[in-house]
């Protein structure tokens, strides 16, 4: 069976590195094209020292060219800054290339929302609004069938992925309320990307913790609200607090919620089991998501460098609240790995193809 | 002016190390007695390599002896495991020694609550309940006058200190509601003490994050509820989620709350300023607590190894919720430093005595 | 083609975890038996949270039983404490099972050396000296042919692997002298194993660095001397200084050496290229070792969680000394990965089988 | 007694932050002037979040002005990039201000050496060579009397300070040889300064280790050679290998040396004690340097955020080599603290003034 030729657009960031790593080991594809604007002309090994000495490390990075890509690749992964990505996607889709986009450009269904969150001070409109209708939000655990039928998938944000995996099944089952949600998420520094800055300078960030872009200032707020709203069948306004932690990878997400009617209807003693069972049922048979047994808490160290997610749900009887938690690797299940999982679904391959390496611990 | 002789009981843990460090530099005291059960007979420098070569490092650790201490010291800091501490405190108080206790033994005013949280499976009663009435909870920013008049101060827990500093003024002012509070706190590993275990083994904990003892399982829940309840003038049941982070020191605490009547009465645009102003007013003139300007978030790296706290409050207009945050060093403002601050208040000294070293950054 | 059944003995430590992770993804083997003394009866997922939810995580850990293993497995990986491992190996070899031993028991060829370094105060002799003759030291880059023919391979120590990869080719070529070698190596904390202790307690070790067991006190000294001596064709006595770093994984090894005759014979300007070329030539075609271009220094972050090694050699013209460096992952190329690489060689499989996943960075 | 007015020039980097922290608590000085080019106009609290809320945090940063400083300050600490610092120093000295310079500009006694290491591709000459003769190298443990008499002190580099403290007494006593020295040093990331870059970007550097500027490429090589040469009374060419570690602060320095005649003359069994005793004698009575007992290894965590140094010396009988080690905080004993220690010596104050806070551990 010939391998499907794929293109990686925007290969010089951390998401690009993970796409290269995972696609290089994927049994059904070959990397046919590889581009990055700033790094064009360099070898992959020069851009990423960890790939030196490997076949992928000797490849030369090209500049982006939609025509060239459409001539060689069937599927493209686009990992460019928002705005730029939409234009690249439009050019590729116009030439018939299927796309999994890892930017924010196709995540929000409503172009007005996009303009508000990503359009800058002038609310610049979406660069390719005509594509929004065909874009499918790429969480296979939520939209598997639509992804399988899609030609354009919007790879979700890292924080939204974590929040959705923890909370969506509970919302969908009416076990937690859609109003009053609190999403408190802790991320490793790779989530900030590869451009150095004071906020991720090792002496400043290496031994402390802080929140940032709180109270609705972080763009992922819109995406989390859209998707948790969809799960709940209601409009959602929630509190989202991201934190920067002194580690390179991983997101731990805590979702706090009031009990929904379906939970309050149960005897108090039955509620803990109800929320845990709901997650277990939701992820039964899922290749990448494991609902932990009662009493266990997700640990980002247990999913690092894998496409796996650990989730848990606990009922706090004293306070009459539910705590749903998830741990993912922000660059894998939160970005490159989930994108490949979507490609697998689009192609009808086993979703685990290229993604079945267990986490490496410690 | 002669220095006041003080005793440190339980000098071989991290809180003991910080007491020794801070008391060694205190202008008004001398360390007259120094004891620790397991380390008795060793020098301080053998117990703590960082104190080798200093005068304090050459001191020999004694076994605890209330009579000896009462003959030499006016004030004792007791930092023993709960239960043990109460017995040592009782012996010292019976001989007229003033005590700042850093265990949990005198934090909860209600002995039934103590038995429930600390009494083990058989709810063993408090070892010295007769002392509970005279014990004052040692957050000077809340109980300054009572501390000044006290002979027994209960040094607060690290998480409760962080939660109280962030939320108490807002509760007291009716700006946030007492029901539905969420306290999501992130701690460095020194909070777990000096006894090694798998949970704090560097390979397991050094590059990941996880929550633990969630949903009312952590004993500090009771203490936080007691004190936030006191601030609110109401009984409080809240969600408390502690986390272990890959760093040695620091607590970042996020308190999420619904707006209180006093806040909802304001125009939406005025609410952000109202909560920020309330913290600024509450800590105006406080030597150790700084309310950050709007838009700034507390960072544990900014208070490390000092008795300082940074706090902030933000109104999230989209979600109609308040986020109050605080950053402290768990071993200083969360333990040894605050205990010394209390001693200073008890003695009528400037509260900054021995505690005025700025944080060291980075 | 049926998969070869393998056994993992000592599956509850970090080396065991990596064996399970890598063997679970190996195309030519199946894990037929899995044992660990203390963890017997538990599932793998209970022992290692990161394997929960995976098929391997549901396996139950057995107690060691040589008869059972010999009935089900063709090859065994033994990862027990020294002394214990030798006895398990003897029992397995007596029943015809091929073994890759990851303990120190078969690394030193001279039983007197073993007794001196591992025999304790009474120099207890080797438990199975009769097997020493058949044991092959398991660095495929040095002993590929012998490994291919072996039934018992001694998996090298992590520090020795790093030192050998950096220095052996230079010694063999006479480019550096065998006397006066300095080996200064820096390791992540997982090298200390999974048993918690104060030395690897996160608050003590998480933000500092120190050397330990210096000046010939570390047992790997003997192993490094044996193997660098073999490369040089001379008896070697060297300085070995291991360090513990605040990270979970990785070894960076610096070997300092005086120039050998073959180097001194060259013009000064040619010496830098000569040592770099020697490493490049030695590792040309090697699947796991990459000699870096001039000016680049190995970084443990570039080989983490992979079986790869980066090496470099530099001539310091001012001081007339050579600096050879290597970076490996102590648990992969320094333990489990190299053991599997040896198994591949023993079986005639491509050495990359099961080991071709690139490093994951960052 | 009035406080001596001091100026801090270059207050926006990490060395500046430490100068502000330590001078703010110094009993004999007041910060009369405070300047930094890029940060001019901002408050100190805006530049350094950890100083918010403190009196020093409210001070406004000025632009450098030698006339203004000479009118208000008696002593200036200059912490500017090399080249710039020399010009500022010249302007200040011309107006009679005593200076402790923390740049590299006055460390090398020979202007030709300065031009070679710091002059760039065109070997630009020293900007103020006429001041080199009056500059005293600021390690009080080596040059106490000269510092006391000086008006211009060159604050040493962080790596050189560590190397000198470990090795100079042994060289001076003839216990180690001056030829063939190896200096392998490991540093926290704050040594790289406050300007962000990929090398200190948390995701890249936070969980790995690497050497950099090896084989005579690091400028501190010249300074180490100058000072160890002075101690030995000989010209020295040595190997210096700096490393970047995943921590914010601290330097651990290993110096490897062949035994000197004075050591070889001793019986083998006496050599370990001889080198240990030499360090103990050299630092007997020193307020900041502690020679550890035999068997103990310096740990950077034990000196963090203090002006203290731990040193040790070990004789490796197997390899006939000496290992001398030191641990310092690169920003304190390696920069700001030592500069203040020099000021204390210049003024005839107790050298401990403002520097007597013990390290904070953990």
């Amino acid at each position: 069976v010939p391998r499907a030729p794929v293109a990686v657009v925007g290969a010089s960031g951390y998401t690009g590195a993970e796409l290269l790593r995972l696609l290089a080991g994927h049994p059904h594809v070959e990397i046919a094209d590889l581009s990055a604007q700033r790094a064009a002309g360099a070898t992959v090994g020069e851009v990423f020292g960890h790939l030196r000495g490997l076949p992928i490390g000797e490849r030369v990075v090209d500049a982006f060219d939609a025509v060239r890509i459409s001539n060689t690749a069937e599927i493209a992964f686009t990992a460019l800054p928002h705005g730029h990505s939409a234009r690249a996607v439009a050019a590729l889709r116009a030439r018939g290339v299927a796309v999994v986009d890892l930017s924010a450009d196709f995540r929000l269904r409503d172009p007005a929302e996009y303009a508000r969150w990503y359009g800058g001070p002038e609310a610049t409109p979406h660069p390719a609004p005509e594509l929004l209708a065909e874009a499918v939000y790429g969480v296979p655990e939520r939209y598997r069938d639509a992804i399988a039928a899609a030609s354009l998938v919007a790879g979700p944000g890292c924080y939204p992925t974590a929040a959705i995996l923890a909370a969506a099944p509970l919302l969908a089952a009416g076990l937690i309320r859609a109003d009053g949600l609190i999403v408190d998420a802790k991320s490793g520094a790779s989530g900030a990307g590869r451009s150095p800055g004071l906020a991720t300078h090792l002496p400043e960030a290496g031994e402390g913790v802080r929140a940032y872009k709180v109270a609705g200032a972080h763009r992922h707020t819109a995406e989390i609200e859209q998707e948790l709203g969809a799960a709940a069948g209601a409009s959602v306004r929630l509190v989202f607090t991201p934190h920067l932690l002194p580690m390179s990878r991983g997101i731990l997400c805590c979702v706090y919620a009031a009990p929904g009617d379906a939970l309050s209807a149960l005897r108090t003693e039955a509620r803990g089991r109800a929320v845990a069972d709901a997650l277990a049922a939701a992820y039964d048979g899922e290749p990448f998501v494991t609902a932990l047994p009662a009493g266990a808490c997700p640990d980002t160290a247990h999913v690092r460098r894998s496409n796996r997610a650990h989730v848990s749900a606990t009922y706090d009887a004293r306070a009459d609240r539910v705590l749903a938690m998830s741990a993912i690797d922000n660059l894998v299940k939160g970005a490159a790995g989930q994108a490949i999982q979507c490609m697998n679904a689009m192609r009808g391959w086993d979703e685990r193809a290229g993604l079945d390496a267990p986490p490496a611990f410690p």
Side-chain angles (χ1 to χ4, degrees), chain A residues 139-142 158-170 228 253 255 279 282-283 286 288-290 307-312 324-328 333-334 338 341:
Chain A
V139 176
E141 291 79 6
R142 300 289 302 158
C158 50
Y159 286 122
T161 297
I164 292 163
L165 292 177
L170 302 175
L228 295 190
C253 182
V255 181
L279 287 189
Y283 297 116
E286 281 294 343
F288 297 114
V289 186
T290 295
N307 198 49
R308 296 186 55 70
H310 285 183
V311 299
S312 72
M325 292 193 281
S326 60
I328 63 168
K333 184 60 178 170
Q338 186 157 255
Q341 187 184 354

Side-chain angles (χ1 to χ4, degrees), chain A residues 75-92:
Chain A
I75 306 173
F77 294 91
T78 47
L80 300 175
H82 66 84
H84 297 81
S85 225
R87 282 182 281 271
V89 170
L92 291 166

